[in-house]
Amino acid sequence: MTKTITLPSASDFHLHLRQGDMMRMVAPKVAEGGVSLAYIMPNLQPPVTKTEQALAYKAELEALAPDVTFYMTLYLSPDLTVDEVRKASAAGIAGVKSYPRGVTTNSDGGIENYEIYYPVFQAMEEEGMVLNLHGEIPSDFDNDVCVMNAEEKFLPQLEKIHRAFPKLKIVLEHATTAAAVDIVKRLGDTVACSITVHHLQLVVDDWAGQAHHFCKPVAKYPHDRQALREVVASGHPRFFLGTDSAPHPSHTKETGACAHAGVFTTPLVLPYLAMIFESIGCLDKLENFACHYGRNFYGLKQKEGYQDRTVTLVKEENIVVPANYQISAAKPDLGKVVPFLANKDIGWKISNNFC
């Protein structure tokens, strides 16, 4: 007998949609993956540091993907002032994203000292905006810091900010470690955590030598993946979907130099999740994780007419992930993007979308 599940359309609380031709390819695929609400990262070139930039970017995305409700963020930098925070809040900008300097794509203007931003955090707390933290510190070989422990080394900073601003909503983004799970659970109702598709599936052996599984933060040890799986299987309401889907042309991943960090999951978000949640025995927890918990924490809604749209997934054999997605048919030299689990049978597909 055919197995089907019907869910509300999903919400992705951490998404990279890029610029230019890449944006024009990727943005329409948000809805294809069963997602109707997307929280957009600001690490463009140049980064989105002003309200006007965020609103202009939002308008571009809405023209490309009219079925999706977009919420925008600003990039935490010295350019961000208290006045700009209040202006952004009044314009509907939902949050501010912090990147430690140099740890991921387009983070060269990232943070080295958080205390200088305390006036900004206070204004965000007063305005009800969310602080989104990329939870790593830069590698420092003299102090034994590298990609495998950079997240755990960051966690005291998360607690410090929370203690200074206990009413400020904070999201530890794309958690990868058991230590991150533990501290988010301990810190209480104003601290939450996004979890990606790929970190529920991968461990360190899966990306070492496999460029299309390489992301920042990197997937960690089996016990860390198990902690992520256990917290989503438990149905904890402060752990929710944020895919961190981040497309790169394949030639920038398959390079003899440093591969760009990012895993591309946007076109197949709900099928991937159905596969993973079924494999770990908690398919009944998928709806809250992907559809409700994030919206509840942020207090955000879909635009009029989309609140009750549903997505139906069907389990079938031979549901194979495409080998790649061409960035632009008119500009083939731009290359292609290889999706997560390319050429693999994931066993689930969307049969009815936004019904």
Side-chain angles (χ1 to χ4, degrees):
M1 185 173 69
T2 301
K3 185 173 186 177
T4 65
I5 55 174
T6 298
L7 311 169
S9 54
S11 298
D12 183 349
F13 278 94
H14 187 125
L15 184 56
H16 298 272
L17 293 179
R18 307 305 195 205
Q19 297 161 277
D21 290 290
M22 182 70 87
M23 174 187 69
R24 286 186 280 275
M25 184 275 283
V26 175
K29 298 193 182 302
V30 176
E32 289 182 23
V35 170
S36 65
L37 186 154
Y39 190 82
I40 306 303
M41 295 296 105
N43 57 328
L44 306 184
Q45 293 180 321
V48 179
T49 58
K50 300 294 184 183
T51 302
E52 291 81 5
Q53 287 176 276
L55 295 178
Y57 188 28
K58 180 180 182 180
E60 286 189 280
L61 297 176
E62 288 176 332
L64 292 165
D67 289 332
V68 179
T69 303
F70 292 102
Y71 285 97
M72 313 308 290
T73 59
L74 298 182
Y75 188 108
L76 185 63
S77 75
D79 293 333
L80 186 60
T81 65
V82 168
D83 287 344
E84 190 66 33
V85 166
R86 301 199 190 283
K87 179 180 177 181
S89 177
I93 308 303
V96 174
K97 177 67 184 293
S98 163
Y99 294 90
R101 186 181 299 276
V103 300
T104 191
T105 303
N106 297 339
S107 64
D108 292 341
I111 304 306
E112 293 181 336
N113 180 347
Y114 285 91
E115 291 186 7
I116 64 172
Y117 294 100
Y118 276 17
V120 168
F121 296 163
Q122 181 175 343
M124 291 174 61
E125 184 179 55
E126 292 167 357
E127 295 291 333
M129 295 180 74
V130 175
L131 176 62
N132 303 98
L133 296 176
H134 181 121
E136 294 185 286
I137 65 172
S139 292
D140 180 350
F141 298 155
D142 290 338
N143 290 297
D144 199 34
V145 179
C146 68
V147 295
M148 292 302 292
N149 64 2
E151 179 175 282
E152 190 164 355
K153 295 285 188 179
F154 175 85
L155 297 178
Q157 186 64 249
L158 166 64
E159 182 161 11
K160 183 177 179 181
I161 296 171
H162 169 64
R163 299 301 178 198
F165 302 96
K167 296 181 180 179
L168 174 64
K169 286 187 177 181
I170 301 173
V171 177
L172 179 65
E173 299 291 344
H174 41 51
T176 63
T177 59
V181 170
D182 289 344
I183 196 170
V184 170
K185 289 165 70 174
R186 176 169 60 82
L187 290 182
D189 291 346
T190 58
V191 179
C193 181
S194 67
I195 296 178
T196 75
V197 172
H198 52 281
H199 287 130
L200 287 170
Q201 185 71 8
L202 303 176
V203 295
V204 58
D205 287 6
D206 296 311
W207 62 262
Q210 214 304 22
H212 294 290
H213 290 166
F214 174 63
C215 58
K216 291 287 190 75
V218 299
K220 303 299 194 302
Y221 298 103
H223 75 268
D224 292 306
R225 181 182 66 178
Q226 185 61 26
L228 298 180
R229 290 179 165 188
E230 287 178 356
V231 79
V232 300
S234 76
H236 195 295
R238 287 186 285 111
F239 292 80
F240 46 77
L241 176 64
T243 65
D244 191 24
S245 181
H248 293 280
S250 59
H251 64 268
T252 68
K253 299 282 287 179
E254 302 161 359
T255 173
C258 184
H260 287 197
V263 174
F264 183 50
T265 56
T266 295
L268 295 163
V269 170
L270 283 180
Y272 286 134
L273 287 172
M275 175 196 72
I276 294 168
F277 275 61
E278 182 185 39
S279 74
I280 61 178
C282 63
L283 198 56
D284 61 314
K285 305 297 185 182
L286 174 56
E287 177 175 333
N288 279 330
F289 173 78
C291 309
H292 299 304
Y293 288 159
R295 289 206 301 262
N296 292 345
F297 181 81
Y298 277 85
L300 299 179
K301 298 180 180 179
Q302 291 161 310
K303 60 188 174 184
E304 192 69 28
Y306 287 83
Q307 299 94 326
D308 300 320
R309 300 294 181 95
T310 61
V311 179
T312 298
L313 296 108
V314 59
K315 183 178 181 180
E316 293 182 1
E317 294 183 358
N318 201 33
I319 306 298
V320 177
V321 176
N324 54 63
Y325 294 89
Q326 188 168 30
I327 296 170
S328 171
K331 302 175 184 178
D333 57 310
L334 293 179
K336 301 175 180 179
V337 178
V338 175
F340 185 49
L341 303 180
N343 299 311
K344 302 294 186 183
D345 183 356
I346 59 173
W348 287 87
K349 70 176 184 180
I350 292 175
S351 60
N352 291 291
N353 205 6
F354 291 9
C355 294

